[in-house]
Amino acid sequence: MKKILKSLVYVIFFIFISMVLLPKQELFYFLEKKIEEKNIVISNEQFENKILGFDLKYSDIYFEQINVANVEKLSINTYLFYNQVSIKNVRLLDSFKSMFPTPLTNIYLTYSILDYENVQIEADGIFGKLYGSINIFDRKAIVYLEATSSMKNSYSNVLRQMKFKDGRYVYEYKF
């Protein structure tokens, strides 16, 4: 029994040290190259290394060489069984404000090995609360929106693309 416990402690210690010493900046550059294939570019970011993740501060998001948004802070935290991406204060540029209200205060993407098929989404802002999941294997996203009255009044064209069910708006997307 002591040998099993000792082996388990060594394995957990090895995994922890591996996560701490993981080259996070190179991981970010790898992710940046992957999203660049989809014509999305992150620029002007300030990289900040953390023990179990990294932060990007004050970055600009470009889609097909058009500046779409400014992000105050993007944090990626990697834990043993749980990973989270949190995005704070996303401001869409003026030309995109007619499509969706800005700013988006918080966006959280969470992945857990206990629910290995889905990535959970949560967001809030002046539009209300948004939550849902992305099924990785079925390649399907389901998003629920609890819209505020200002969202209903000013962005009714966006809400028309969603189904109204049980007092909330539902949007399904296959990719």
Side-chain angles (χ1 to χ4, degrees):
M1 188 66 174
K2 280 187 172 184
K3 277 189 168 188
I4 294 173
L5 184 62
K6 191 175 180 181
S7 298
L8 184 63
V9 168
Y10 282 139
V11 167
I12 291 172
F13 180 74
F14 174 75
I15 291 172
F16 178 75
I17 293 298
S18 298
M19 289 171 52
V20 169
L21 298 177
L22 184 74
K24 295 165 193 80
Q25 196 158 10
E26 284 74 19
L27 177 65
F28 167 68
Y29 292 138
F30 175 75
L31 291 171
E32 195 173 39
K33 284 188 180 201
K34 285 294 183 186
I35 63 172
E36 195 173 314
E37 294 171 3
K38 305 288 184 189
N39 294 324
I40 300 171
V41 177
I42 301 172
S43 67
N44 301 328
E45 69 273 1
Q46 296 174 5
F47 188 88
E48 187 176 297
N49 204 355
K50 295 188 320 186
I51 291 176
L52 295 174
F54 60 87
D55 290 342
L56 297 178
K57 294 184 177 180
Y58 311 110
S59 55
D60 297 323
I61 310 294
Y62 289 86
F63 179 67
E64 294 184 358
Q65 299 178 348
I66 300 170
N67 190 352
V68 186
N70 299 331
V71 177
E72 184 178 310
K73 184 178 179 183
L74 183 140
S75 296
I76 297 180
N77 297 309
T78 56
Y79 306 110
L80 189 58
F81 301 109
Y82 175 82
N83 299 308
Q84 185 177 50
V85 176
S86 73
I87 306 168
K88 305 239 185 244
N89 294 328
V90 177
R91 294 198 176 275
L92 298 176
L93 295 180
D94 292 335
S95 56
F96 295 98
K97 284 182 182 178
S98 64
M99 295 168 48
F100 202 78
T102 187
L104 286 86
T105 310
N106 295 305
I107 303 170
Y108 299 104
L109 302 170
T110 307
Y111 178 77
S112 171
I113 63 166
L114 300 175
D115 185 16
Y116 62 91
E117 291 183 348
N118 296 306
V119 175
Q120 301 300 319
I121 305 167
E122 290 182 44
D124 60 72
I126 62 171
F127 58 88
K129 290 195 175 274
L130 182 134
Y131 54 93
S133 64
I134 301 170
N135 190 305
I136 298 169
F137 298 121
D138 292 342
R139 301 179 57 103
K140 183 178 179 182
I142 299 174
V143 177
Y144 302 97
L145 173 66
E146 294 174 0
T148 60
S149 59
S150 65
M151 175 74 178
K152 291 176 185 176
N153 294 335
S154 303
Y155 296 95
S156 59
N157 56 345
V158 173
L159 296 177
R160 276 188 229 127
Q161 297 176 13
M162 304 174 110
K163 296 176 187 173
F164 189 72
K165 186 187 223 183
D166 297 329
R168 60 187 179 181
Y169 293 90
V170 180
Y171 185 74
E172 294 184 24
Y173 179 73
K174 272 193 127 17
F175 54 95

